[in-house]
Amino acid sequence: EVVLTQSPGTLSLSPGERATLSCRASQSITNFYVAWYQQKPGQAPRLLMYGASNRATGIPDRFRGSGSGTDFTLTITRLAPEDFAVYYCQQYGSSLLTFGQGTRLE
Amino acid sequence: QVQLRESGPGLVKPSQTLSLTCSVSGGSIGSGDHYWSWIRQRPGKGLEFIGYIYYTGSTYYNASLDGRLRISIDTSKSQFSLELRSMTAADTAVYYCARGVAILAGRYYFDFWGQGSLVTVSS
């Protein structure tokens, strides 16, 4: 099983600031098969990024994904008030899909 | 726009079987491009992949639940279902159905999710 460790657990920032969220895998993930999701209270997760750096439909360009191998990053260049939520990474490089434990952006 | 909606009981007694159904609209469940999946989220916790079914009926289950789990599909009704036997308090969670976008066999990310169904296990 590929274990994904997200850091930090909680990130405290203000609107307009830059957020950097990390996702580290216990083994190398093939072909950049990492996705990122945003979840707000009482809602289902929403797909933000796939293939490590591809924005999903309708996702603003302030969201940027990068990384390879075992280290992946989600960057939000200028935080908007609606960006405060929990973010999860997911790998799909192995049969058992796994998620990170989440980073809370407050 | 693709929509998924879970339906099923909100309360299950210990040792009983949970049955949930996901109804899909706005897209074909019989497409080879997608994996139809279940994911759960225990209270205050992260996301746990449960398993998927392909339109052909082939399945993959998380080994941690294997032996208790069955996922089925009815393409004529645009529905897929989950059965989880021998429920315990540890199975209390919000259960989501989701559509997986196939990249390779069994490799996918989730582009559409249901709103989630809270299932509580309690006598």
Side-chain angles (χ1 to χ4, degrees):
Chain A
E1 175 180 335
V2 178
V3 177
L4 299 179
T5 302
Q6 292 186 241
S7 61
T10 301
L11 188 55
S12 298
L13 294 169
S14 299
E17 291 191 298
R18 182 186 187 94
T20 303
L21 288 68
S22 173
C23 177
R24 177 163 290 178
S26 59
Q27 57 190 268
S28 185
I29 298 173
T30 58
N31 295 328
F32 308 95
Y33 285 166
V34 169
W36 290 89
Y37 302 86
Q38 176 193 68
Q39 187 177 35
K40 295 181 179 179
Q43 296 184 17
R46 176 175 73 142
L47 176 67
L48 297 176
M49 315 288 301
Y50 62 93
S53 61
N54 301 289
R55 276 187 296 276
T57 302
I59 302 304
D61 62 6
R62 64 178 181 273
F63 288 89
R64 297 179 185 174
S66 62
S68 64
T70 60
D71 291 298
F72 296 85
T73 300
L74 176 69
T75 301
I76 311 171
T77 54
R78 288 182 317 280
L79 284 166
E82 62 268 27
D83 297 338
F84 292 89
V86 179
Y87 291 82
Y88 294 95
C89 58
Q90 176 228 332
Q91 66 79 23
Y92 48 104
S94 65
S95 300
L96 178 58
L97 311 182
T98 53
F99 294 89
Q101 83 282 12
T103 289
R104 179 178 303 277
L105 180 52
E106 63 176 30
Chain B
Q1 177 81 336
V2 174
Q3 292 188 334
L4 296 88
R5 181 177 296 275
E6 305 90 350
S7 58
L11 181 64
V12 176
K13 288 182 167 52
S15 80
Q16 289 191 338
T17 296
L18 169 67
S19 295
L20 290 174
T21 295
C22 183
S23 300
V24 180
S25 59
S28 173
I29 199 172
S31 163
D33 296 329
H34 301 109
Y35 289 86
W36 303 97
S37 305
W38 290 97
I39 297 144
R40 70 180 181 181
Q41 187 169 34
R42 294 186 175 101
K45 301 299 183 182
L47 300 164
E48 180 184 18
F49 172 70
I50 294 173
Y52 74 70
I53 189 163
Y54 197 49
Y55 79 105
T56 58
S58 65
T59 55
Y60 178 90
Y61 300 153
N62 188 327
S64 68
L65 296 167
D66 206 357
R68 297 199 293 138
L69 179 62
R70 177 173 178 263
I71 299 175
S72 58
I73 192 167
D74 187 336
T75 55
S76 68
K77 294 182 178 179
S78 284
Q79 294 178 335
F80 63 105
S81 299
L82 170 148
E83 285 186 359
L84 187 59
R85 298 179 293 278
S86 304
M87 294 281 282
T88 72
D91 295 312
T92 292
V94 175
Y95 286 76
Y96 294 100
C97 59
R99 188 180 83 166
V101 179
I103 305 300
L104 294 174
R107 307 290 191 269
Y108 59 97
Y109 55 90
F110 305 99
D111 62 346
F112 289 99
W113 298 63
Q115 83 283 2
S117 179
L118 174 61
V119 176
T120 302
V121 183
S122 175
S123 56

